């Protein structure tokens, strides 16, 4: 099922986002998570890597968990690069840290986790690429940055 988040809501969400915690951010330039995060960083967003298997990405300290990252950073958006079945514990952490929004990248859909997040007051986006949406909404420009 395609996500029902209207594009205007996505635009508003991105407009108020400054810091993005990227769960599953790889330090490898060949990975999608790296390229998408690099694009967002180049457009002025602060990227906080969350990956227990790496020490840093883009010169930013990588945290082993979202909970640990939230102890050191104010997180506006949790961007998930993990399989759909891995989303529920990430959603639980996002709720626990008080994250305002969680974004599941293109191809990632977990209706139960999305419903739980929305019930807890989070904005939830599924099956969309944050880079594609940002580029589409700004036509490559950066009106918010």
């Amino acid at each position: 099922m395609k996500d029902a988040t209207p594009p205007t809501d996505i635009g508003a969400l991105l407009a108020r986002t400054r810091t993005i915690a990227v769960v599953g951010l790889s330090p490898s330039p060949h990975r999608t998570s790296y390229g998408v995060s690099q694009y967002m960083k180049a457009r002025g967003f602060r990227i906080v890597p969350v990956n227990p298997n790496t020490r840093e990405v883009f010169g930013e300290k990588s945290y082993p968990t979202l909970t640990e990252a939230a102890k050191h950073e104010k997180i506006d958006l949790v961007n998930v690069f993990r399989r759909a079945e891995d989303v529920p514990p990430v959603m639980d952490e996002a709720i626990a840290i008080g994250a305002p929004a969680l974004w599941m990248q293109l191809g990632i859909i977990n209706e139960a986790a999305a419903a739980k997040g929305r019930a807890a007051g989070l904005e939830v986006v599924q099956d969309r690429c944050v880079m594609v949406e940002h580029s589409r909404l700004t036509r490559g420009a950066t009106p918010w940055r």
Side-chain angles (χ1 to χ4, degrees):
M1 175 177 148
K2 190 69 173 171
D3 185 50
T5 308
T8 53
D9 291 350
I10 288 174
L13 171 60
L14 291 175
R16 65 179 167 268
T17 295
R18 298 289 176 258
T19 303
I20 304 172
V22 183
V23 178
L25 178 54
S26 171
S28 171
H30 304 292
R31 302 293 297 221
T32 303
S33 63
Y34 186 97
V36 168
S37 297
Q38 185 177 45
Y39 168 94
M40 298 305 284
K41 182 175 176 61
R43 268 95 190 145
F45 294 89
R46 171 99 191 285
I47 301 299
V48 177
V50 179
N51 183 334
N53 300 314
T54 191
R55 294 176 59 151
E56 73 172 40
V57 182
F58 308 127
E60 296 281 350
K61 176 181 172 44
S62 182
Y63 296 95
T65 65
L66 189 53
T67 301
E68 190 61 31
K71 291 178 184 176
H72 305 278
E73 309 286 346
K74 179 188 179 297
I75 296 168
D76 300 315
L77 174 65
V78 177
N79 189 12
V80 182
F81 281 92
R82 299 287 311 273
R83 292 187 303 255
E85 60 268 22
D86 297 331
V87 171
V90 176
M91 181 63 79
D92 289 343
E93 278 192 282
I95 293 167
I97 67 166
L102 184 137
W103 188 300
M104 293 178 240
Q105 279 295 131
L106 196 61
I108 305 170
I109 300 171
N110 189 308
E111 292 296 342
K116 185 174 186 176
R118 288 182 180 121
L122 275 74
E123 290 184 74
V124 178
V125 178
Q126 298 185 89
D127 194 25
R128 291 183 187 248
C129 176
V130 70
M131 177 182 76
V132 169
E133 294 301 320
H134 181 272
S135 180
R136 181 182 62 77
L137 289 165
T138 64
R139 296 197 175 22
T142 53
W144 313 312
R145 303 280 161 235

